[in-house]
Each structure stands twice: as structure tokens, then as C-alpha cells.
Amino acid sequence: MSTEVPYAADAELSLSYDEIEVLRRQFQKEEEEGHVTTQTKFNYAWGLVKSPQREQQVLGVRLLQEIYKSEPKRRRECLYYLALGHYKMGNYEDAKKFNALLIEKEPTNMQAQSLETLIDSSVAREGYIGMAIAGGAAALGTLLLAGLMNSR
């Protein structure tokens, strides 16, 4: 397996149902045989994280967390995909936490830097949306109050 990983541009790319199904079948086969290799588990988790379906992303993150805890040599690649999985699910705080751990270990990692930019942009966008909602609610409240005051 290559140690090179793609830039975070792959954050928006999803695997097809058939691609994930191939990974799932291999995982299930090994599970039925009584031993799932770390590589098979990682491949399946990677595919699930890249799924467009949240429930699959959640399972992928859970499997990655299991690998992270049990396989110290695989932690680096798990960190990125844990960050990516949380980013895709909108869990930006957790995404930032895992990505920061990776950047701490590898400050020049372009993939992690790219993902950090995506996470920060999403956090800012959500902040703007929150401010717009709050501003709209305040404006509506003012209009309602003014309407009540005028009707008296």
C-alpha cells in the first residue's frame, strides 16, 4: 500500500454502491472465517467514510477508531480518514481534533493542510448561516413588536 494519500479534494468524492459492496463482501467473508485482517477492515472503513450515506460514514468512523486504538502503526492513516469522516458528517469539532493530531505529527502534510482549509471554510459557512438565522429572527421579532405597538 502506498504511503501517499490524495489531497483532501477527495472529500467530496464518493464510492459507488458497487465499490462499497465489494469491500463489504470481503469484510464479511473474513468475519465469517473468524479473522478480519487490519487491511480489509481499513479498506472497508475507508469506503464507508467515502459513502454519501451518513449511516455508512458512522460505521466507517467506528471501524477506523477500532483500528486506531488497536494498531499503533496504522494511526497516521486513520487520523486523516477519521478527520475526513467527521468532516463529511458535519462533526467539525471532531474533524478539527483528528486533523490537528495529524498536523502535529506531520506539520508539512499537504493532505491534512488541505482538509484543515475545508473544515475551516465549513465552520465559517455554518457561522454565517447561524448569524443570518439569528439576524432574521431578531428582525422578525422587531417587526412583530412594532406591529403590536401600532395596533394599540
Side-chain angles (χ1 to χ4, degrees):
M1 178 177 186
S2 171
T3 57
E4 293 296 315
V5 279
Y7 287 110
D10 71 338
E12 302 306 323
L13 300 176
S14 298
L15 292 184
S16 71
Y17 172 82
D18 290 337
E19 291 169 319
I20 294 171
E21 188 61 18
V22 168
L23 298 171
R24 185 190 66 77
R25 275 192 241 117
Q26 180 63 35
F27 181 83
Q28 276 188 322
K29 178 182 174 224
E30 290 184 19
E31 201 170 42
E32 290 166 4
E33 293 170 354
H35 177 71
V36 177
T37 65
T38 301
Q39 188 62 51
T40 295
K41 190 177 201 178
F42 180 84
N43 291 348
Y44 184 43
W46 168 84
L48 292 170
V49 162
K50 293 185 65 64
S51 167
Q53 297 178 7
R54 184 178 174 84
E55 59 275 0
Q56 289 185 336
Q57 294 166 355
V58 169
L59 176 57
V61 165
R62 185 178 60 78
L63 292 172
L64 286 167
Q65 287 172 328
E66 290 173 9
I67 296 168
Y68 183 85
K69 290 176 184 172
S70 65
E71 301 289 335
K73 291 180 180 179
R74 300 299 294 263
R75 286 186 176 159
R76 180 240 168 257
E77 59 192 328
C78 285
L79 282 173
Y80 174 74
Y81 287 105
L82 283 165
L84 180 63
H86 282 291
Y87 166 77
K88 288 186 74 170
M89 292 186 295
N91 301 336
Y92 302 127
E93 192 69 32
D94 288 331
K96 284 179 81 71
K97 178 181 73 173
F98 286 112
N99 202 53
L101 286 171
L102 180 54
I103 290 174
E104 182 181 306
K105 293 178 185 308
E106 299 179 11
T108 60
N109 183 312
M110 296 299 290
Q111 182 183 31
Q113 291 173 9
S114 178
L115 183 56
E116 182 178 43
T117 301
L118 288 174
I119 294 166
D120 289 344
S121 295
S122 294
V123 168
R125 184 175 55 246
E126 282 203 353
Y128 293 140
I129 291 169
M131 288 189 305
I133 290 170
L140 181 60
T142 302
L143 289 172
L144 290 173
L145 183 59
L148 286 173
M149 299 289 278
N150 287 337
S151 67
R152 290 183 179 198

